[in-house]
Amino acid sequence: MTWVEELDPRTKLAWCLCLILSALLSNVVMVEVGILILVIATDCFFSRDLKSYRILLPVILVVASQILIIQLLFCREGVPLWQWGVISVYSGATPAAALGISRTAAVTFAAVQFMTRTPAMDVALMLVSWRIPYRYAMLTIVAKRFLPLMQREYRAISESQSIRGIPTDGIKDKIKSLPLALMPLLFRAVRRTSDIALSMELKGYGRSNQRTFEKQLCLKNREKIGMLLLFSVFIAANFI
Amino acid sequence: MNDSVRLNIESLTFPPETADVLKNIDLTVARGDFIAITGDAASGKSMLLHSITGAAVEFFNGELQGTVRVMGHDVADIPLTRMCDHVGYMMQEPQNQIVNITVADEVAFGVANMNLSLNEIKKRTSASLRFVGLDGFEGRSTDGLSGGQAQRAVLAGVLAMETPLLILDQPTAELDEKGKQELFARLKYLNKEKGVTVVMVMDRATDILAYSNRILIMGGGEIIEECSPDEYRKRLCAKSTPRLSPAKKPAGSTNIELRDVSFTYDDGFVGCENIDISINEGDFAGIVGINGSGKTTLIKLMEGLLKPESGSIEVFNTPLIKKNLSALRSRIGFLFQNPDLQIFATTVKDEVAFTLKMRKLPAEDIREKVQGILTEVGLASYADVHPQRLSRSQRQKLAVASILVGDPDIIIADEPTSGLDENQSILIMDLLADFHRKGKTVVLVTHDLPLARSYTTRIVAMHEHRVAVDIPTEETFSHGSALKRIGLDFQREELANDLG
C-alpha cells in the first residue's frame, strides 16, 4: 500500500473536493489546466501509476469532441466567423469549448484520483463514520469488487463471440456486437447478484445494526493541519 | 438432542409453478454425520440444502409444506441473517461468493457481521487461513486468486464462523485433484476431530465415498435411496458400463503446431513457456495438469485468443496471425467451460443457426441443418425454448450443437464437463467422441483424469507452464511416476473410479 493510500479517506476527499470546486468556480482555462496538471503530478510523484488515466483518456477525448461540436453549433458569443446555411460559427465558440473541455477533464481526473487512490473499505468506513448504515456503506466494496469482474466477463463473452465469427476487432465492430454481448452479460450478472446476496445474508450481513470493522479510521494531527492549510489556500484562491 | 437437522417436507413449490421441487422428504441428520447427496440434474439436491439454510422460503420465496428444524430450532423462526449461528454455507462458484477486496477482509466478513471483538476476529481469521493453507495471503487481492485459492478463502470465511453444521454445494467443481483431496482432508479433520456435521452435494459421489458415512441419492425432488458408502460402491460396480474405447487412428497431417511459444500476461503472470507441440489430424488430445499449470493459456493460444510473446503458431499449415484468424476460426470450434459465456440468442434454434447465418447460407439449408443437429444432441423438442430455461447440461449440449453445426475440423474444449454429474458428463463426452470418430480432431482440457483416459488418444500433461509429458493415452500407467511427480495420479483416480 502506498503512502497516499494510507491517508485517511476524509483527507483525500477534502483534497478532491477542493480541486473539483476550484475547477467549477474558475472561468480561466489555465486554472483548469493547472488543476489537471496538479492531479497528474501528485499521482506521478506519490504512486507513479497513471494507468487509470490512460484508460480514461479515450473517454475524455470522446466527451471533448462532443463539447466542441456543441459549442461550434450553438455558441452565439463573439463575432460570426463562418456561415453555411443555418449553421454559424462564432468567435466565442473555441474559448468556451476549451473551458468546458478543460473543466470536464479536471473534475473527472480529480474524482478518478480519489476513487483509485482510496481503498473501497476506507470509503465504506468513511460513510459509516457519517452514520450511514453499514448495509449501504459496504455496497461500495461490492461495487469495486464486481465491476472489474464484470469487465472480465464481458471480455470473455466477446472472445467467445469473436470465435463464432462476430467481428470484434475495431471500435465500430465492438459497438455493433455490444447488444449480442449484453444478453449473456445480463444473465450472468443477475445470477451473480443472486448468489452474492444469498452468500452475504448467510454470513450474517445485516444481522444487527452494528458490525465490527477490522480497521478504524483515525485522522492524524498532520492530516488535520494539512486539511486546514488546504481549505485556507482554497478560500484564498477562490474568494479573496 | 443429537440431531443437527430434522427435515419433514411434504412439498416445496415455487409459485406460480405448481410442480413440487421437493416432496416426501423425511430426513434426520445426526451430529457428526458426513452426508454426500447425489442425483441427476434438477433432482432437488441444491434446494434440499436451501431448505436447511432457510433460503428456499426466505430468499427464493418457496412455499414449504412441512417443517425443517436445525439444531432444535424451527428454520421458519430463524431470520436468514441469523442462520450463520448454526449453518456455514458454501456454494459452487467461489468468485460469486467473495465480497471483499482482500483475503483477510473476506475471511473476517462473516465473523465481523457477528459483531465479535476485533481480537476475536483476528484470532479466528488467522486460524482459519492457517487451516486452509492460506497463511501469508492476508493482504492479497481476492481478484487475483486462482480457482482453488478462492475456494479455500471462501471455506476459511465459513470456518471462521465456527458453525456446528457445514453445508457445501458442489465445492470441488473448480478444483484439480490435488485441491479436491486437500479440501476433503480438511473436511474430514473438522468432521472427525471437531465434530462438525457436513452435508455436501457432489456431482460425483465417488470422490467423497472414503469420507462420508451416508449417501443420499435424489431424483424427482425426493430422496429415492439412502445407503452406506460401501453399498453405493457395490451398486455402482453392478451397473458400471464398459468405458468407451477411443478410436485408434494413424496420425494424420498436422492440424496445429506450436514452436517455442511463450506467453506472459500483462500482470507478469507466466502463462506458457517454450511450448513445442503438434496436434495431428484425428488426435483426441487430453491436456491435463494442476490448477495454474498453463492449460487454458495453451488452448487460448491455439485459438488465437492470445498472441504469443515469442515463437510461432501454425494452424492447418497457415500462420495464426490476425489476417488469417477469421478463416481459420471457421474450421475450429471452441467450447468454453461455462456455456453461458457463449449463448446469446433468444431461442435454442436461433443459437444453433447463428453460425450458419453468419456464413449467409440459404434459409432452407439452415433450417434443415439446425433440425438435424438438434436431433443429434437430443434438443429437438426444445427448439423454440429460451436457452436460459434449459438446465446446465442442456446448455452445454446447446453450446456443443452450435459448434457442431458449423462442421469444424477441430474442437477445442475447455473443461466442458465441469459442474456436471457423471451421466451429464458422459452425454457431453459422447458427443465429442462421435465427432472424433468422424476422423476429426479434439483438444480437451480437463481435470478429470479417468475421463481423459477413457476418451482421449493422447495425454499432454502441463506443469509449471510447460509441456511436461506428452504420451499416447495407453501409456499413462507406464509413465505413472512421472505424472505423479507433477500432481497427476492417474492410478489413484482410476482406482477411486473402479472402486465405484
Side-chain angles (χ1 to χ4, degrees), chain A residues 145 152 160-161 164-166 188 191-192 195 198 203-205 207 211-214, chain B residues 81 85 95-96 98 112-113 116 143 336 338 340-342 344 351 354 358 388 395:
Chain A
R145 167 149 166 69
R152 275 213 302 270
S160 90
Q161 296 186 342
R164 289 182 68 190
I166 301 172
R188 292 281 298 161
R191 206 163 285 175
R192 193 186 292 282
D195 281 358
L198 178 60
K203 283 181 181 166
Y205 188 68
R207 175 193 161 97
R211 180 186 191 274
T212 315
F213 284 95
E214 275 203 282
Chain B
T81 52
D85 291 342
Q95 288 293 357
N96 281 8
I98 293 177
N113 290 335
L116 299 177
D143 211 24
F336 282 80
N338 187 342
D340 296 340
L341 290 179
Q342 61 193 86
F344 52 83
E351 183 66 34
F354 177 79
M358 290 293 287
Q388 295 299 331
R395 294 204 298 278

mmCIF file of all heavy atoms in Angstrom, chain A residues 145 152 160-161 164-166 188 191-192 195 198 203-205 207 211-214, chain B residues 81 85 95-96 98 112-113 116 143 336 338 340-342 344 351 354 358 388 395:
data_model
loop_
_atom_site.group_PDB
_atom_site.id
_atom_site.type_symbol
_atom_site.label_atom_id
_atom_site.label_comp_id
_atom_site.label_asym_id
_atom_site.label_seq_id
_atom_site.Cartn_x
_atom_site.Cartn_y
_atom_site.Cartn_z
ATOM 1 N N ARG A 145 -15.518 -4.466 -6.186
ATOM 2 C CA ARG A 145 -15.058 -5.828 -6.470
ATOM 3 C C ARG A 145 -15.685 -6.370 -7.763
ATOM 4 O O ARG A 145 -15.047 -7.046 -8.536
ATOM 5 C CB ARG A 145 -15.401 -6.715 -5.287
ATOM 6 C CG ARG A 145 -15.258 -8.152 -5.594
ATOM 7 C CD ARG A 145 -14.880 -9.067 -4.533
ATOM 8 N NE ARG A 145 -15.137 -10.422 -5.003
ATOM 9 C CZ ARG A 145 -14.478 -11.027 -5.954
ATOM 10 N NH1 ARG A 145 -13.468 -10.449 -6.541
ATOM 11 N NH2 ARG A 145 -14.808 -12.234 -6.354
ATOM 12 N N ARG A 152 -14.196 -8.339 -16.939
ATOM 13 C CA ARG A 152 -13.526 -9.563 -17.415
ATOM 14 C C ARG A 152 -14.527 -10.485 -18.100
ATOM 15 O O ARG A 152 -14.234 -11.132 -19.103
ATOM 16 C CB ARG A 152 -12.878 -10.280 -16.232
ATOM 17 C CG ARG A 152 -11.503 -9.771 -15.889
ATOM 18 C CD ARG A 152 -10.637 -10.895 -15.362
ATOM 19 N NE ARG A 152 -11.214 -11.525 -14.202
ATOM 20 C CZ ARG A 152 -10.990 -11.131 -12.946
ATOM 21 N NH1 ARG A 152 -10.191 -10.133 -12.718
ATOM 22 N NH2 ARG A 152 -11.544 -11.750 -11.927
ATOM 23 N N SER A 160 -15.657 -15.239 -26.891
ATOM 24 C CA SER A 160 -16.418 -16.402 -27.366
ATOM 25 C C SER A 160 -17.184 -16.039 -28.628
ATOM 26 O O SER A 160 -17.341 -16.847 -29.535
ATOM 27 C CB SER A 160 -17.346 -16.919 -26.273
ATOM 28 O OG SER A 160 -18.578 -16.295 -26.335
ATOM 29 N N GLN A 161 -17.661 -14.794 -28.681
ATOM 30 C CA GLN A 161 -18.419 -14.395 -29.865
ATOM 31 C C GLN A 161 -17.511 -14.163 -31.068
ATOM 32 O O GLN A 161 -17.898 -14.452 -32.195
ATOM 33 C CB GLN A 161 -19.248 -13.158 -29.529
ATOM 34 C CG GLN A 161 -20.282 -13.499 -28.456
ATOM 35 C CD GLN A 161 -21.235 -12.379 -28.168
ATOM 36 O OE1 GLN A 161 -20.965 -11.244 -28.497
ATOM 37 N NE2 GLN A 161 -22.340 -12.703 -27.538
ATOM 38 N N ARG A 164 -16.917 -17.285 -32.740
ATOM 39 C CA ARG A 164 -18.040 -17.773 -33.547
ATOM 40 C C ARG A 164 -18.287 -16.915 -34.779
ATOM 41 O O ARG A 164 -19.291 -17.071 -35.454
ATOM 42 C CB ARG A 164 -19.299 -17.855 -32.688
ATOM 43 C CG ARG A 164 -19.205 -18.988 -31.689
ATOM 44 C CD ARG A 164 -20.446 -19.111 -30.875
ATOM 45 N NE ARG A 164 -21.580 -19.541 -31.668
ATOM 46 C CZ ARG A 164 -22.822 -19.544 -31.212
ATOM 47 N NH1 ARG A 164 -23.067 -19.149 -29.998
ATOM 48 N NH2 ARG A 164 -23.801 -19.956 -31.983
ATOM 49 N N GLY A 165 -17.404 -15.964 -35.014
ATOM 50 C CA GLY A 165 -17.478 -15.241 -36.274
ATOM 51 C C GLY A 165 -17.965 -13.814 -36.190
ATOM 52 O O GLY A 165 -18.072 -13.144 -37.209
ATOM 53 N N ILE A 166 -18.300 -13.339 -34.980
ATOM 54 C CA ILE A 166 -18.733 -11.943 -34.876
ATOM 55 C C ILE A 166 -17.488 -11.060 -34.860
ATOM 56 O O ILE A 166 -16.625 -11.238 -33.996
ATOM 57 C CB ILE A 166 -19.546 -11.710 -33.584
ATOM 58 C CG1 ILE A 166 -20.775 -12.616 -33.574
ATOM 59 C CG2 ILE A 166 -19.944 -10.252 -33.435
ATOM 60 C CD1 ILE A 166 -21.532 -12.607 -32.276
ATOM 61 N N ARG A 188 -25.638 -13.420 -16.584
ATOM 62 C CA ARG A 188 -24.577 -13.739 -15.622
ATOM 63 C C ARG A 188 -24.648 -12.791 -14.431
ATOM 64 O O ARG A 188 -24.467 -13.198 -13.296
ATOM 65 C CB ARG A 188 -23.187 -13.615 -16.292
ATOM 66 C CG ARG A 188 -22.910 -14.642 -17.347
ATOM 67 C CD ARG A 188 -22.511 -15.973 -16.787
ATOM 68 N NE ARG A 188 -21.291 -15.915 -16.021
ATOM 69 C CZ ARG A 188 -20.931 -16.844 -15.151
ATOM 70 N NH1 ARG A 188 -21.702 -17.879 -14.928
ATOM 71 N NH2 ARG A 188 -19.799 -16.754 -14.493
ATOM 72 N N ARG A 191 -27.497 -13.709 -12.123
ATOM 73 C CA ARG A 191 -27.158 -14.915 -11.365
ATOM 74 C C ARG A 191 -26.134 -14.590 -10.272
ATOM 75 O O ARG A 191 -26.243 -15.035 -9.136
ATOM 76 C CB ARG A 191 -26.597 -15.970 -12.323
ATOM 77 C CG ARG A 191 -26.789 -17.375 -11.822
ATOM 78 C CD ARG A 191 -26.607 -18.368 -12.935
ATOM 79 N NE ARG A 191 -27.752 -18.400 -13.833
ATOM 80 C CZ ARG A 191 -27.798 -19.124 -14.933
ATOM 81 N NH1 ARG A 191 -26.789 -19.844 -15.292
ATOM 82 N NH2 ARG A 191 -28.870 -19.127 -15.684
ATOM 83 N N ARG A 192 -25.158 -13.790 -10.640
ATOM 84 C CA ARG A 192 -24.098 -13.432 -9.690
ATOM 85 C C ARG A 192 -24.675 -12.611 -8.530
ATOM 86 O O ARG A 192 -24.342 -12.821 -7.372
ATOM 87 C CB ARG A 192 -23.022 -12.613 -10.421
ATOM 88 C CG ARG A 192 -21.748 -12.442 -9.639
ATOM 89 C CD ARG A 192 -20.811 -11.520 -10.369
ATOM 90 N NE ARG A 192 -20.289 -12.078 -11.600
ATOM 91 C CZ ARG A 192 -19.316 -12.968 -11.656
ATOM 92 N NH1 ARG A 192 -18.773 -13.412 -10.545
ATOM 93 N NH2 ARG A 192 -18.879 -13.425 -12.794
ATOM 94 N N ASP A 195 -26.461 -14.906 -6.199
ATOM 95 C CA ASP A 195 -25.500 -15.713 -5.429
ATOM 96 C C ASP A 195 -24.854 -14.884 -4.325
ATOM 97 O O ASP A 195 -24.760 -15.315 -3.172
ATOM 98 C CB ASP A 195 -24.375 -16.248 -6.336
ATOM 99 C CG ASP A 195 -24.821 -17.458 -7.133
ATOM 100 O OD1 ASP A 195 -25.982 -17.881 -6.948
ATOM 101 O OD2 ASP A 195 -24.034 -17.965 -7.952
ATOM 102 N N LEU A 198 -27.298 -13.959 -1.479
ATOM 103 C CA LEU A 198 -27.563 -15.113 -0.612
ATOM 104 C C LEU A 198 -26.355 -15.406 0.277
ATOM 105 O O LEU A 198 -26.489 -15.625 1.491
ATOM 106 C CB LEU A 198 -27.903 -16.328 -1.478
ATOM 107 C CG LEU A 198 -28.159 -17.626 -0.728
ATOM 108 C CD1 LEU A 198 -29.327 -17.486 0.229
ATOM 109 C CD2 LEU A 198 -28.429 -18.765 -1.698
ATOM 110 N N LYS A 203 -23.963 -15.181 5.672
ATOM 111 C CA LYS A 203 -22.806 -14.865 6.517
ATOM 112 C C LYS A 203 -23.166 -13.759 7.512
ATOM 113 O O LYS A 203 -22.285 -13.099 8.053
ATOM 114 C CB LYS A 203 -21.622 -14.432 5.652
ATOM 115 C CG LYS A 203 -20.925 -15.603 4.977
ATOM 116 C CD LYS A 203 -19.753 -15.118 4.173
ATOM 117 C CE LYS A 203 -19.059 -16.261 3.461
ATOM 118 N NZ LYS A 203 -18.143 -15.763 2.440
ATOM 119 N N GLY A 204 -24.458 -13.558 7.710
ATOM 120 C CA GLY A 204 -24.907 -12.663 8.771
ATOM 121 C C GLY A 204 -24.910 -11.192 8.416
ATOM 122 O O GLY A 204 -24.988 -10.353 9.321
ATOM 123 N N TYR A 205 -24.858 -10.865 7.126
ATOM 124 C CA TYR A 205 -24.848 -9.461 6.722
ATOM 125 C C TYR A 205 -26.219 -8.844 7.019
ATOM 126 O O TYR A 205 -27.233 -9.325 6.519
ATOM 127 C CB TYR A 205 -24.526 -9.378 5.227
ATOM 128 C CG TYR A 205 -24.288 -7.982 4.723
ATOM 129 C CD1 TYR A 205 -23.169 -7.276 5.117
ATOM 130 C CD2 TYR A 205 -25.174 -7.377 3.837
ATOM 131 C CE1 TYR A 205 -22.937 -6.001 4.644
ATOM 132 C CE2 TYR A 205 -24.945 -6.109 3.355
ATOM 133 C CZ TYR A 205 -23.828 -5.423 3.767
ATOM 134 O OH TYR A 205 -23.595 -4.162 3.299
ATOM 135 N N ARG A 207 -27.367 -8.690 10.087
ATOM 136 C CA ARG A 207 -27.842 -9.390 11.284
ATOM 137 C C ARG A 207 -28.189 -8.416 12.407
ATOM 138 O O ARG A 207 -29.166 -8.571 13.115
ATOM 139 C CB ARG A 207 -26.714 -10.333 11.687
ATOM 140 C CG ARG A 207 -26.856 -11.098 12.934
ATOM 141 C CD ARG A 207 -25.471 -11.682 13.254
ATOM 142 N NE ARG A 207 -25.372 -12.071 14.632
ATOM 143 C CZ ARG A 207 -25.553 -13.296 15.054
ATOM 144 N NH1 ARG A 207 -25.842 -14.241 14.208
ATOM 145 N NH2 ARG A 207 -25.457 -13.585 16.332
ATOM 146 N N ARG A 211 -21.664 -3.521 13.293
ATOM 147 C CA ARG A 211 -20.767 -4.534 12.736
ATOM 148 C C ARG A 211 -19.355 -4.144 13.143
ATOM 149 O O ARG A 211 -19.032 -2.948 13.190
ATOM 150 C CB ARG A 211 -20.900 -4.535 11.208
ATOM 151 C CG ARG A 211 -20.030 -5.531 10.514
ATOM 152 C CD ARG A 211 -20.142 -5.348 9.004
ATOM 153 N NE ARG A 211 -19.519 -6.463 8.307
ATOM 154 C CZ ARG A 211 -18.229 -6.517 8.020
ATOM 155 N NH1 ARG A 211 -17.406 -5.525 8.364
ATOM 156 N NH2 ARG A 211 -17.722 -7.561 7.390
ATOM 157 N N THR A 212 -18.528 -5.153 13.428
ATOM 158 C CA THR A 212 -17.145 -4.841 13.776
ATOM 159 C C THR A 212 -16.343 -4.656 12.496
ATOM 160 O O THR A 212 -16.419 -5.487 11.602
ATOM 161 C CB THR A 212 -16.516 -6.003 14.578
ATOM 162 O OG1 THR A 212 -17.458 -6.407 15.564
ATOM 163 C CG2 THR A 212 -15.216 -5.589 15.228
ATOM 164 N N PHE A 213 -15.614 -3.561 12.440
ATOM 165 C CA PHE A 213 -14.722 -3.363 11.293
ATOM 166 C C PHE A 213 -13.290 -3.594 11.750
ATOM 167 O O PHE A 213 -12.908 -3.192 12.852
ATOM 168 C CB PHE A 213 -14.891 -1.950 10.713
ATOM 169 C CG PHE A 213 -16.143 -1.817 9.904
ATOM 170 C CD1 PHE A 213 -17.315 -1.325 10.471
ATOM 171 C CD2 PHE A 213 -16.167 -2.207 8.573
ATOM 172 C CE1 PHE A 213 -18.470 -1.227 9.735
ATOM 173 C CE2 PHE A 213 -17.329 -2.108 7.825
ATOM 174 C CZ PHE A 213 -18.484 -1.616 8.404
ATOM 175 N N GLU A 214 -12.535 -4.240 10.868
ATOM 176 C CA GLU A 214 -11.159 -4.592 11.234
ATOM 177 C C GLU A 214 -10.266 -3.373 11.330
ATOM 178 O O GLU A 214 -9.236 -3.401 11.964
ATOM 179 C CB GLU A 214 -10.596 -5.542 10.175
ATOM 180 C CG GLU A 214 -10.974 -6.971 10.442
ATOM 181 C CD GLU A 214 -10.007 -7.895 9.771
ATOM 182 O OE1 GLU A 214 -10.145 -8.058 8.539
ATOM 183 O OE2 GLU A 214 -9.127 -8.420 10.450
ATOM 184 N N THR B 81 -30.362 -13.963 8.156
ATOM 185 C CA THR B 81 -29.119 -13.335 8.610
ATOM 186 C C THR B 81 -28.630 -13.889 9.951
ATOM 187 O O THR B 81 -27.510 -13.598 10.367
ATOM 188 C CB THR B 81 -29.295 -11.811 8.734
ATOM 189 O OG1 THR B 81 -30.449 -11.567 9.520
ATOM 190 C CG2 THR B 81 -29.434 -11.164 7.378
ATOM 191 N N ASP B 85 -25.422 -18.576 12.859
ATOM 192 C CA ASP B 85 -25.143 -19.122 14.196
ATOM 193 C C ASP B 85 -25.092 -20.644 14.144
ATOM 194 O O ASP B 85 -24.469 -21.284 14.991
ATOM 195 C CB ASP B 85 -26.242 -18.709 15.184
ATOM 196 C CG ASP B 85 -26.198 -17.213 15.464
ATOM 197 O OD1 ASP B 85 -25.154 -16.604 15.184
ATOM 198 O OD2 ASP B 85 -27.210 -16.662 15.941
ATOM 199 N N GLN B 95 -15.914 -17.270 -6.812
ATOM 200 C CA GLN B 95 -15.838 -15.838 -7.117
ATOM 201 C C GLN B 95 -17.199 -15.148 -6.974
ATOM 202 O O GLN B 95 -17.262 -13.934 -6.853
ATOM 203 C CB GLN B 95 -15.269 -15.600 -8.524
ATOM 204 C CG GLN B 95 -13.781 -15.881 -8.662
ATOM 205 C CD GLN B 95 -12.887 -14.909 -7.869
ATOM 206 O OE1 GLN B 95 -13.355 -13.970 -7.239
ATOM 207 N NE2 GLN B 95 -11.580 -15.155 -7.868
ATOM 208 N N ASN B 96 -18.272 -15.946 -6.994
ATOM 209 C CA ASN B 96 -19.605 -15.358 -6.808
ATOM 210 C C ASN B 96 -19.954 -15.157 -5.346
ATOM 211 O O ASN B 96 -21.015 -14.641 -5.028
ATOM 212 C CB ASN B 96 -20.681 -16.249 -7.442
ATOM 213 C CG ASN B 96 -20.757 -16.062 -8.923
ATOM 214 O OD1 ASN B 96 -19.914 -15.371 -9.499
ATOM 215 N ND2 ASN B 96 -21.733 -16.659 -9.555
ATOM 216 N N ILE B 98 -17.392 -14.142 -3.028
ATOM 217 C CA ILE B 98 -16.408 -13.264 -2.393
ATOM 218 C C ILE B 98 -16.872 -11.816 -2.512
ATOM 219 O O ILE B 98 -17.159 -11.340 -3.604
ATOM 220 C CB ILE B 98 -15.014 -13.469 -3.043
ATOM 221 C CG1 ILE B 98 -14.516 -14.871 -2.700
ATOM 222 C CG2 ILE B 98 -14.037 -12.417 -2.571
ATOM 223 C CD1 ILE B 98 -13.188 -15.234 -3.326
ATOM 224 N N ALA B 112 -17.141 -10.663 11.410
ATOM 225 C CA ALA B 112 -17.349 -9.230 11.685
ATOM 226 C C ALA B 112 -18.844 -8.914 11.733
ATOM 227 O O ALA B 112 -19.288 -8.098 12.539
ATOM 228 C CB ALA B 112 -16.658 -8.389 10.625
ATOM 229 N N ASN B 113 -19.623 -9.600 10.867
ATOM 230 C CA ASN B 113 -21.081 -9.400 10.909
ATOM 231 C C ASN B 113 -21.676 -9.889 12.223
ATOM 232 O O ASN B 113 -22.744 -9.440 12.635
ATOM 233 C CB ASN B 113 -21.752 -10.153 9.751
ATOM 234 C CG ASN B 113 -21.450 -9.528 8.407
ATOM 235 O OD1 ASN B 113 -21.161 -8.340 8.327
ATOM 236 N ND2 ASN B 113 -21.486 -10.329 7.358
ATOM 237 N N LEU B 116 -18.365 -9.581 16.720
ATOM 238 C CA LEU B 116 -17.424 -10.050 17.750
ATOM 239 C C LEU B 116 -16.329 -8.994 17.948
ATOM 240 O O LEU B 116 -16.223 -8.037 17.165
ATOM 241 C CB LEU B 116 -16.797 -11.375 17.305
ATOM 242 C CG LEU B 116 -17.774 -12.526 17.083
ATOM 243 C CD1 LEU B 116 -17.034 -13.756 16.577
ATOM 244 C CD2 LEU B 116 -18.527 -12.863 18.360
ATOM 245 N N ASP B 143 -9.242 -10.761 -6.096
ATOM 246 C CA ASP B 143 -9.415 -10.789 -7.541
ATOM 247 C C ASP B 143 -8.353 -11.649 -8.227
ATOM 248 O O ASP B 143 -8.610 -12.259 -9.255
ATOM 249 C CB ASP B 143 -9.307 -9.344 -8.047
ATOM 250 C CG ASP B 143 -10.148 -9.124 -9.262
ATOM 251 O OD1 ASP B 143 -11.107 -9.888 -9.431
ATOM 252 O OD2 ASP B 143 -9.831 -8.211 -10.033
ATOM 253 N N PHE B 336 -16.410 -23.469 -24.428
ATOM 254 C CA PHE B 336 -15.993 -22.888 -23.151
ATOM 255 C C PHE B 336 -16.482 -23.738 -21.979
ATOM 256 O O PHE B 336 -17.452 -24.476 -22.096
ATOM 257 C CB PHE B 336 -16.569 -21.480 -23.003
ATOM 258 C CG PHE B 336 -15.818 -20.451 -23.803
ATOM 259 C CD1 PHE B 336 -16.046 -20.307 -25.164
ATOM 260 C CD2 PHE B 336 -14.880 -19.642 -23.211
ATOM 261 C CE1 PHE B 336 -15.353 -19.374 -25.907
ATOM 262 C CE2 PHE B 336 -14.186 -18.707 -23.942
ATOM 263 C CZ PHE B 336 -14.417 -18.569 -25.284
ATOM 264 N N ASN B 338 -17.872 -22.592 -19.350
ATOM 265 C CA ASN B 338 -19.180 -22.114 -18.949
ATOM 266 C C ASN B 338 -19.987 -21.776 -20.194
ATOM 267 O O ASN B 338 -19.708 -20.801 -20.875
ATOM 268 C CB ASN B 338 -18.996 -20.868 -18.082
ATOM 269 C CG ASN B 338 -20.307 -20.426 -17.488
ATOM 270 O OD1 ASN B 338 -21.379 -20.812 -17.946
ATOM 271 N ND2 ASN B 338 -20.214 -19.621 -16.456
ATOM 272 N N ASP B 340 -22.683 -20.396 -20.595
ATOM 273 C CA ASP B 340 -23.380 -19.105 -20.558
ATOM 274 C C ASP B 340 -22.571 -17.972 -21.177
ATOM 275 O O ASP B 340 -23.112 -16.923 -21.504
ATOM 276 C CB ASP B 340 -23.734 -18.737 -19.112
ATOM 277 C CG ASP B 340 -24.709 -19.729 -18.530
ATOM 278 O OD1 ASP B 340 -25.372 -20.416 -19.325
ATOM 279 O OD2 ASP B 340 -24.787 -19.841 -17.300
ATOM 280 N N LEU B 341 -21.267 -18.194 -21.330
ATOM 281 C CA LEU B 341 -20.450 -17.153 -21.941
ATOM 282 C C LEU B 341 -20.660 -17.095 -23.449
ATOM 283 O O LEU B 341 -20.343 -16.108 -24.087
ATOM 284 C CB LEU B 341 -18.962 -17.405 -21.656
ATOM 285 C CG LEU B 341 -18.506 -17.212 -20.222
ATOM 286 C CD1 LEU B 341 -17.029 -17.511 -20.111
ATOM 287 C CD2 LEU B 341 -18.777 -15.807 -19.734
ATOM 288 N N GLN B 342 -21.167 -18.173 -24.026
ATOM 289 C CA GLN B 342 -21.284 -18.158 -25.477
ATOM 290 C C GLN B 342 -22.715 -18.184 -26.003
ATOM 291 O O GLN B 342 -22.927 -18.039 -27.197
ATOM 292 C CB GLN B 342 -20.446 -19.281 -26.103
ATOM 293 C CG GLN B 342 -20.816 -20.684 -25.706
ATOM 294 C CD GLN B 342 -19.738 -21.660 -26.140
ATOM 295 O OE1 GLN B 342 -18.777 -21.868 -25.435
ATOM 296 N NE2 GLN B 342 -19.895 -22.243 -27.310
ATOM 297 N N PHE B 344 -26.235 -16.520 -26.563
ATOM 298 C CA PHE B 344 -26.805 -15.171 -26.515
ATOM 299 C C PHE B 344 -28.129 -15.022 -27.240
ATOM 300 O O PHE B 344 -28.791 -14.006 -27.118
ATOM 301 C CB PHE B 344 -25.810 -14.140 -27.067
ATOM 302 C CG PHE B 344 -25.272 -14.482 -28.425
ATOM 303 C CD1 PHE B 344 -25.993 -14.158 -29.549
ATOM 304 C CD2 PHE B 344 -24.060 -15.126 -28.558
ATOM 305 C CE1 PHE B 344 -25.502 -14.479 -30.797
ATOM 306 C CE2 PHE B 344 -23.562 -15.444 -29.803
ATOM 307 C CZ PHE B 344 -24.285 -15.124 -30.933
ATOM 308 N N GLU B 351 -29.868 -19.893 -31.654
ATOM 309 C CA GLU B 351 -28.495 -20.014 -31.152
ATOM 310 C C GLU B 351 -27.680 -20.915 -32.088
ATOM 311 O O GLU B 351 -26.558 -20.603 -32.465
ATOM 312 C CB GLU B 351 -28.528 -20.609 -29.730
ATOM 313 C CG GLU B 351 -27.199 -20.734 -29.051
ATOM 314 C CD GLU B 351 -26.548 -19.399 -28.761
ATOM 315 O OE1 GLU B 351 -27.257 -18.429 -28.473
ATOM 316 O OE2 GLU B 351 -25.308 -19.328 -28.852
ATOM 317 N N PHE B 354 -26.997 -19.457 -35.640
ATOM 318 C CA PHE B 354 -26.209 -18.227 -35.742
ATOM 319 C C PHE B 354 -25.007 -18.367 -36.683
ATOM 320 O O PHE B 354 -24.805 -17.554 -37.580
ATOM 321 C CB PHE B 354 -25.750 -17.781 -34.344
ATOM 322 C CG PHE B 354 -24.883 -16.574 -34.389
ATOM 323 C CD1 PHE B 354 -25.433 -15.318 -34.546
ATOM 324 C CD2 PHE B 354 -23.505 -16.684 -34.332
ATOM 325 C CE1 PHE B 354 -24.639 -14.194 -34.632
ATOM 326 C CE2 PHE B 354 -22.701 -15.572 -34.416
ATOM 327 C CZ PHE B 354 -23.267 -14.325 -34.563
ATOM 328 N N MET B 358 -24.246 -16.393 -40.210
ATOM 329 C CA MET B 358 -23.037 -15.597 -40.439
ATOM 330 C C MET B 358 -22.384 -15.988 -41.768
ATOM 331 O O MET B 358 -21.749 -15.183 -42.421
ATOM 332 C CB MET B 358 -22.017 -15.810 -39.315
ATOM 333 C CG MET B 358 -22.401 -15.217 -37.978
ATOM 334 S SD MET B 358 -22.440 -13.426 -37.966
ATOM 335 C CE MET B 358 -20.712 -13.039 -38.009
ATOM 336 N N GLN B 388 -31.869 -19.947 -21.643
ATOM 337 C CA GLN B 388 -31.668 -19.834 -20.196
ATOM 338 C C GLN B 388 -32.684 -20.642 -19.398
ATOM 339 O O GLN B 388 -32.563 -20.752 -18.185
ATOM 340 C CB GLN B 388 -31.696 -18.363 -19.760
ATOM 341 C CG GLN B 388 -30.545 -17.532 -20.313
ATOM 342 C CD GLN B 388 -29.177 -18.021 -19.862
ATOM 343 O OE1 GLN B 388 -29.028 -18.598 -18.791
ATOM 344 N NE2 GLN B 388 -28.153 -17.814 -20.687
ATOM 345 N N ARG B 395 -27.641 -26.725 -21.592
ATOM 346 C CA ARG B 395 -26.999 -25.536 -22.175
ATOM 347 C C ARG B 395 -25.620 -25.902 -22.731
ATOM 348 O O ARG B 395 -25.187 -25.381 -23.740
ATOM 349 C CB ARG B 395 -26.865 -24.419 -21.130
ATOM 350 C CG ARG B 395 -28.196 -23.855 -20.677
ATOM 351 C CD ARG B 395 -28.089 -22.445 -20.141
ATOM 352 N NE ARG B 395 -27.255 -22.311 -18.990
ATOM 353 C CZ ARG B 395 -27.611 -22.568 -17.735
ATOM 354 N NH1 ARG B 395 -28.834 -22.996 -17.498
ATOM 355 N NH2 ARG B 395 -26.781 -22.402 -16.740
#
